[in-house]
Amino acid sequence: MWNYWLGGKDHFEVDRQVGDDILKVIPDMALFARATRQFLQRAVHHLTADLGVRQFLDIGTGLPTADNTHQVAQRAAPSARVVYVDNDPLVLAHARALLTGSPEGRTSYLDADLRDPEKILAGAAETLDFGEPVALMLMGILGHISDDDEARSIVRRLTDALPSGSYLALYDATNVVDPASAAAIEIWNRSAEPPYVLRTPAQLESFFEGMELLPPGVVSCPLWNPPAAEIGAATEIDEFCGVARKP
């Protein structure tokens, strides 16, 4: 469904049908999907093209969609290395089939859970050099860790393993713009697994503690360094994001 909302080609008729049903209830869901994907694209391009990052650790990648991390990074730097992490066998099966990188770079996949950062770091070290900067990508996944202390501990254990000059990029949903988002999450949490918790922008900013936030800080995703043509015209949404550098 996410691929469908993004205008991709890797989805089935049932995805389109259910996706359309969801849009009847939450009309802005496709907007949310596009806005968060555009943030990922802008963040990865900025990290690669402008800041010289050549290694990415993308945890909770989900099913492949359009313009994934390795595609954006390797367009700017073909030698870029990307490790995708997920604990869903279906995601990993699709990833191996669809996420093929450039000949100059490397793209690999780990079957691991965010709650086991040591396993993630050990597996990622087979592809990434932790003596050089790494960009840690946590896109829409921390909401599945409902306990704030646990979530911060996981992020800290991951970032502690990264060298100086590394980066953390993340987004997650809040409930500060549209009350419908909170209602949708409540419906989700009645029957879905894993559940999802909404945090405030200030709580999201706390994940960057000890790091140097890049401008414009933690903001609604469409407001994070939009293209010049979109400045002043972006629609604010409940998904907030940020990127920070480890000193």
Side-chain angles (χ1 to χ4, degrees):
M1 288 185 291
W2 207 254
N3 186 283
Y4 170 54
W5 290 330
L6 289 172
K9 298 179 180 179
D10 297 305
H11 52 262
F12 299 98
E13 178 62 27
V14 66
D15 299 317
R16 295 189 289 272
Q17 292 173 353
V18 177
D20 288 338
D21 288 342
I22 290 175
L23 292 177
K24 293 174 184 176
V25 180
I26 311 173
D28 287 337
M29 184 59 74
L31 170 65
F32 296 169
R34 291 192 297 270
T36 53
R37 178 56 44 154
Q38 288 162 2
F39 162 66
L40 181 149
Q41 294 164 352
R42 294 197 301 274
V44 172
H45 178 79
H46 181 48
L47 289 165
T48 310
D50 303 324
L51 301 178
V53 176
R54 294 295 181 268
Q55 303 187 109
F56 293 82
L57 178 55
D58 188 336
I59 303 176
T61 179
L63 287 166
T65 53
D67 258 357
N68 301 280
T69 297
H70 76 285
Q71 293 166 319
V72 179
Q74 291 175 355
R75 274 202 300 269
S79 63
R81 297 183 174 195
V82 179
V83 174
Y84 290 107
V85 181
D86 209 291
N87 65 342
D88 184 336
L90 187 61
V91 167
L92 295 170
H94 281 271
R96 291 188 178 96
L98 297 173
L99 301 181
T100 54
S102 68
E104 301 94 332
R106 289 188 63 186
T107 306
S108 61
Y109 322 94
L110 290 178
D111 179 3
D113 192 294
L114 177 62
R115 293 179 175 85
D116 192 353
E118 284 73 25
K119 179 180 178 180
I120 290 173
L121 292 167
E126 297 181 9
T127 299
L128 306 179
D129 177 1
F130 281 92
E132 298 293 331
V134 175
L136 172 63
M137 316 292 289
L138 299 174
M139 299 294 166
I141 188 174
L142 287 173
H144 292 301
I145 309 296
S146 58
D147 183 84
D148 285 350
D149 290 339
E150 181 185 9
R152 281 193 292 269
S153 174
I154 290 170
V155 173
R156 186 166 56 251
R157 284 148 70 192
L158 289 167
T159 55
D160 281 352
L162 306 181
S164 175
S166 294
Y167 292 85
L168 168 63
L170 66 82
Y171 79 78
D172 257 303
T174 71
N175 60 356
V176 301
V177 177
D178 184 1
S181 294
I185 292 298
E186 183 179 347
I187 294 170
W188 167 275
N189 287 341
R190 288 174 191 165
S191 58
E193 183 64 33
Y196 194 93
V197 62
L198 296 175
R199 292 188 169 93
T200 66
Q203 287 174 311
L204 294 185
E205 187 168 341
S206 73
F207 291 120
F208 296 107
E209 184 177 357
M211 305 184 79
E212 302 167 352
L213 272 167
L214 304 187
V218 175
V219 296
S220 181
C221 285
L223 305 182
W224 196 90
N225 296 322
E230 297 178 16
I231 293 177
T235 299
E236 192 172 6
I237 64 171
D238 278 313
E239 275 72 9
F240 274 59
C241 62
V243 180
R245 181 182 183 275
K246 181 176 180 178

